[in-house]
Amino acid sequence: MLRKPVEKVCIVGGGVGGLTLANVLAANMGGSNVTVVDDNMGSIGSRKKRGLGLWPQSQTVLKNVAVWEKLNKHEIPPAAYRDVRGNWLSSCSAQNQTRVVSVLEDELINSLLAQAQSSMVNLVRGRAEDVGVNSDGNFSVETTRGIISDCDILVGADGPKSVVRSHLFPTLPPTISRSTSISILFDGHSQSIPSLQVEHRPFETLGRSKEGEPLRFAVVPFHNGHFCFGSFCSSLLPHSLSTCSDDQIYAYMKMLYAGFHSPIPELIEYGRQHKLELLIEQSTEYTSFDPSILEQEGGGPEHVYLIGDAWNLLPPNLAQGASVSIEDAWELGLAIARMQPGMTSHQSKEFITRRRQRHRKYRQFTGFTHFISNLNPTLRDKTMKMVPSWANSYIFDRSLMESLG
């Protein structure tokens, strides 16, 4: 329980979630009370290019922290499903007005960073190596550039390999899942690939490898002719993936998706020929938890919060990860701003309860897509084609509304 008003918040991690939280706090308690630590702080160019999708709730948050108008945005309907021959299996109805906004991650982080700087947030470039609890109950963060001390509240927004989580909650280590994603940002123009010109909406194609493993391939349009496309596999890629050259990985992808509809093979070949950078991520899974519960059980200190992938990583599915991190940051920022001495437990419990509800909804739809992906392709395709288009769209609309709000 806080003995005094919150005077200093330290956020480890300067990605989308961490910088969104910093801006929410700056607007509610002043930027000088907020410190963000990240090894890449101010070096956005060093980050790999990645496309993000933002759902309506996260769009509202970015409007509230005054960065929305600074972004290059592209509105798209939620991704629909296709079979390997290109037939549309399921999609939203024409009446569904839900829109995902696609943005480039480095542009979003640049905008958040500029807003944080203008709000006088303390931005520290350095890698967090250790975190600890001082004798007075405050926190310190040891970085490669020095020690940040006397933090009233510590937030881990440092992703799947969270230093905050591993040091302060060691009883809940991560486990590596079998799924691997490979994302490529196509930064040319769709005219370079004639078969891509007809695709104006995002889609995910579901199929299987020759070994029977589920495969997914997603294509998402961005502004100015940019496209992000990627492969989502289960256990197909070599364990020594980090030692493979890009040419070897492209060749492997070409083999996996050889029988898939256009423009998938063309995109892979274009990426290989033009040496487009690959962003490879192997999913890390955590047991999700509530810090307050761990504190009661002696598993971790009070006033430590984890957001985004540091708390509960979501697989790359339907643009959920960035949206969840942004929503986490908004809810936590408002909760911290309301905390008063002797009255912190209420705000903490409220934040945890609301987050649990939101994550459950996101995971419901993740489970739905995994279920579809794992069905026998022939049975799945035949069954879905038997369902009238209006019923198919109704089910899809309801699933989105119930799961993603």
Side-chain angles (χ1 to χ4, degrees):
M1 187 172 293
L2 289 174
R3 297 182 297 277
K4 58 185 179 64
V6 176
E7 295 176 354
K8 189 173 181 179
V9 179
C10 183
I11 303 166
V12 179
V16 171
L19 288 173
T20 300
L21 175 59
N23 282 300
V24 175
L25 291 171
N28 287 276
M29 54 185 288
S32 61
N33 295 314
V34 183
T35 299
V36 183
V37 182
D38 192 279
D39 198 25
N40 289 319
M41 190 68 69
S43 303
I44 303 303
S46 66
R47 299 174 187 264
K48 290 191 174 183
K49 297 281 187 178
R50 186 198 331 233
L52 301 176
L54 304 175
W55 285 87
Q57 296 93 329
S58 56
Q59 296 171 28
T60 301
V61 173
L62 295 178
K63 291 173 185 176
N64 289 335
V65 297
V67 301
W68 188 248
E69 298 304 323
K70 304 172 185 176
L71 299 173
N72 291 309
K73 304 177 288 290
H74 185 62
E75 281 196 357
I76 53 177
Y81 297 115
R82 304 175 76 170
D83 64 20
V84 295
R85 293 175 295 280
N87 299 314
W88 295 93
L89 298 174
S90 187
S91 61
C92 291
S93 66
Q95 292 74 33
N96 191 317
Q97 296 302 306
T98 301
R99 289 295 179 266
V100 178
V101 169
S102 58
V103 299
L104 299 180
E105 183 181 38
D106 57 347
E107 291 185 3
L108 175 55
I109 290 179
N110 260 329
S111 297
L112 288 167
L113 188 61
Q115 182 65 25
Q117 289 172 327
S118 67
S119 300
M120 306 302 292
V121 172
N122 302 299
L123 302 171
V124 178
R125 184 176 181 182
R127 183 176 66 256
E129 297 185 325
D130 192 14
V131 294
V133 185
N134 304 328
S135 57
D136 59 0
N138 287 346
F139 303 98
S140 62
V141 180
E142 182 178 340
T143 77
T144 51
R145 300 296 180 91
I147 296 177
I148 301 169
S149 58
D150 297 326
C151 306
D152 300 306
I153 289 178
L154 179 64
V155 180
D158 45 345
K161 298 179 181 179
S162 172
V163 172
V164 176
R165 178 166 183 149
S166 63
H167 282 73
L168 297 183
F169 303 102
T171 58
L172 290 171
T175 57
I176 304 299
S177 73
R178 301 173 67 212
S179 62
T180 301
S181 69
I182 303 176
S183 302
I184 306 102
L185 181 66
F186 169 68
D187 55 2
H189 196 277
S190 58
Q191 291 179 351
S192 305
I193 303 177
S195 58
L196 189 59
Q197 295 182 50
V198 299
E199 306 296 352
H200 299 295
R201 54 176 169 164
F203 64 83
E204 288 193 17
T205 296
L206 309 177
R208 285 182 182 268
S209 69
K210 294 179 181 178
E211 294 80 12
E213 292 278 0
L215 290 174
R216 289 165 49 214
F217 196 98
V219 176
V220 180
F222 288 78
H223 70 282
N224 295 336
H226 288 68
F227 278 79
C228 186
F229 60 97
S231 162
F232 306 99
C233 316
S234 53
S235 60
L236 296 168
L237 294 171
H239 292 296
S240 57
L241 194 62
S242 59
T243 64
C244 294
S245 68
D246 282 2
D247 278 343
Q248 289 173 316
I249 297 174
Y250 271 118
Y252 194 76
M253 291 175 63
K254 185 176 181 179
M255 178 193 70
L256 285 178
Y257 295 98
F260 279 54
H261 66 83
S262 181
I264 292 174
E266 294 93 325
L267 281 169
I268 295 172
E269 180 59 21
Y270 183 94
R272 185 191 68 80
Q273 290 182 1
H274 292 78
K275 300 186 182 301
L276 297 185
E277 186 178 26
L278 297 167
L279 177 61
I280 303 166
E281 298 173 293
Q282 187 170 26
S283 294
T284 306
E285 293 181 346
Y286 290 108
T287 302
S288 61
F289 71 100
D290 296 333
S292 63
I293 296 175
L294 276 188
E295 193 278 330
Q296 294 170 9
E297 298 174 352
E302 196 176 8
H303 307 311
V304 179
Y305 298 90
L306 302 177
I307 63 173
D309 289 348
W311 180 72
N312 195 5
L313 184 70
L314 289 167
N317 181 65
L318 291 173
Q320 293 179 337
S323 294
V324 169
S325 294
I326 291 169
E327 292 171 37
D328 278 358
W330 175 256
E331 295 284 350
L332 180 58
L334 294 183
I336 290 174
R338 292 194 295 264
M339 288 182 180
Q340 296 296 325
M343 297 180 62
T344 59
S345 60
H346 174 71
Q347 283 80 16
S348 294
K349 289 179 180 177
E350 185 178 84
F351 163 69
I352 290 166
T353 299
R354 290 170 63 89
R355 174 165 66 176
R356 187 188 298 116
Q357 293 170 346
R358 287 185 294 107
H359 277 247
R360 185 181 298 117
K361 288 185 176 182
Y362 277 102
R363 283 197 169 275
Q364 283 174 355
F365 207 82
T366 298
F368 173 69
T369 56
H370 279 302
F371 172 75
I372 293 177
S373 300
N374 287 315
L375 286 175
N376 177 279
T378 303
L379 176 63
R380 177 190 63 219
D381 297 353
K382 285 184 177 180
T383 301
M384 295 186 81
K385 287 177 183 177
M386 291 172 59
V387 179
S389 58
W390 66 266
N392 189 316
S393 296
Y394 175 80
I395 294 171
F396 197 86
D397 288 351
R398 291 295 300 178
S399 296
L400 285 174
M401 185 174 67
E402 291 295 327
S403 300
L404 307 177

